[in-house]
Amino acid sequence: MTASHLTLITGASRGLGQAMAEQLLQAGHVVLGISRKQNPELAALAGRAEAAGAELTQWEQDLSDPVAAAARLSDWLKTLDGQRFDSVTLINNAGTVGNPAPLSSAVAAELSLALRIGLEAPMLLTSAFLGATREWRGARKVLNISSGLGRNAMGSQAPYCGAKAGMDHFSRAVALEEAQAPNGARIVSLAPGVIDTDMQVQLRGASAEKFPDRTRFEKMKNEGMLDSPATAAAKVLKYLAREDFGANPVADVRDPA
């Protein structure tokens, strides 16, 4: 019997999320993409990959309302036959850098939005995922897409740094919990390297006055130091497939096997 794998990805409509969804569909995974908008390219690819077992469901879901998103996810997972899948994985990929600026000049609504999307949503979705799949037979994994900025601070990026640092640390806590549970999930908060996405464009276009480190991001682009989304996705998915996935709940895609 062909193995059946279910993968849930937030922020699946563009950038790294889209690239991961594309590669998983090509590999015959059942994919749930959670984004503000659907992606017709993914739908077309899923149609071509049906022979390999691929299935795609796309939700239009605003993660700035994480309570509603988590409830929807929990309800949806409970409608599925957990015995069908050899593995089920949640990839918390969505995030936002907002408008880079010192915290003293942050707009309160924008600051709250960044934290809801970057930290509250991943935590609530992880909770819903773990609860709804507790009795499933297959391997259970949570992959949180973190960042080097969660481990090395940068001025004018307090919301993003804080969200990613929080993601790292809640992953450590959940890893301890799941290690004690039957068929406990393995969880990793993974820095994926530096990727040429819309987020990088936003950082390079930020105000130099409010974001002095802008030149650093311009240099990385000019010197060809950025991975394409497809290249980065391949590295992330290779890490996800490692036998030792979860041994270190806070990791970097460049860590040796």
Side-chain angles (χ1 to χ4, degrees):
M1 180 181 293
T2 302
S4 183
H5 304 284
L6 172 62
T7 306
L8 296 63
I9 309 174
T10 67
S13 65
R14 60 182 185 172
L16 177 62
Q18 178 182 346
M20 288 191 291
E22 289 172 347
Q23 293 176 28
L24 289 166
L25 288 168
Q26 290 166 345
H29 283 232
V30 179
V31 173
L32 170 66
I34 304 173
S35 304
R36 283 178 297 174
K37 297 181 180 179
Q38 295 192 20
N39 185 314
E41 295 176 8
L42 285 180
L45 176 60
R48 296 193 298 271
E50 281 184 358
E55 299 176 26
L56 173 68
T57 300
Q58 295 192 78
W59 287 356
E60 292 185 354
Q61 181 71 50
D62 190 346
L63 295 181
S64 67
D65 186 355
V67 174
R72 184 180 183 185
L73 180 63
S74 179
D75 290 344
W76 183 77
L77 286 168
K78 290 174 182 176
T79 68
L80 303 181
D81 178 7
Q83 301 306 307
R84 171 187 173 187
F85 299 103
D86 296 286
S87 75
V88 56
T89 301
L90 170 64
I91 303 179
N92 283 308
N93 165 71
T96 176
V97 294
N99 295 310
L103 191 65
S104 60
S105 61
V107 176
E110 293 177 355
L111 180 60
S112 178
L113 178 69
L115 293 172
R116 287 201 306 274
I117 294 173
L119 181 56
E120 189 176 343
M123 190 177 291
L124 268 66
L125 291 172
T126 298
S127 175
F129 171 82
L130 294 174
T133 62
R134 177 64 66 196
E135 304 301 324
W136 289 27
R137 68 172 181 85
R140 300 156 64 238
K141 298 180 181 179
V142 176
L143 174 60
N144 288 326
I145 300 299
S146 185
S147 169
L149 292 186
R151 301 155 201 182
N152 299 284
M154 176 177 287
S156 298
Q157 283 284 277
Y160 189 76
C161 290
K164 294 304 185 184
M167 176 181 277
D168 285 353
H169 211 45
F170 98 68
S171 298
R172 292 185 181 100
V174 173
L176 294 173
E177 298 163 1
E178 291 296 308
Q180 305 302 316
N183 192 29
R186 290 181 282 167
I187 181 168
V188 173
S189 189
L190 186 70
V194 189
I195 311 165
D196 198 4
T197 62
D198 291 345
M199 192 175 291
Q200 284 284 323
V201 174
Q202 189 174 356
L203 291 171
R204 293 194 298 269
S207 163
E209 180 181 357
K210 292 183 177 181
F211 185 44
D213 280 298
R214 187 186 78 174
T215 55
R216 172 179 168 186
F217 292 91
E218 292 172 335
K219 180 180 179 181
M220 286 191 290
K221 172 66 172 178
N222 294 335
E223 295 183 0
M225 298 171 65
L226 306 179
D227 275 342
S228 69
T231 298
K235 292 178 180 179
V236 169
L237 295 178
K238 182 178 179 180
Y239 192 100
L240 179 63
R242 282 170 49 155
E243 289 292 329
D244 66 345
F245 180 88
N248 184 357
V250 176
D252 190 293
V253 74
R254 293 156 288 197
D255 290 343

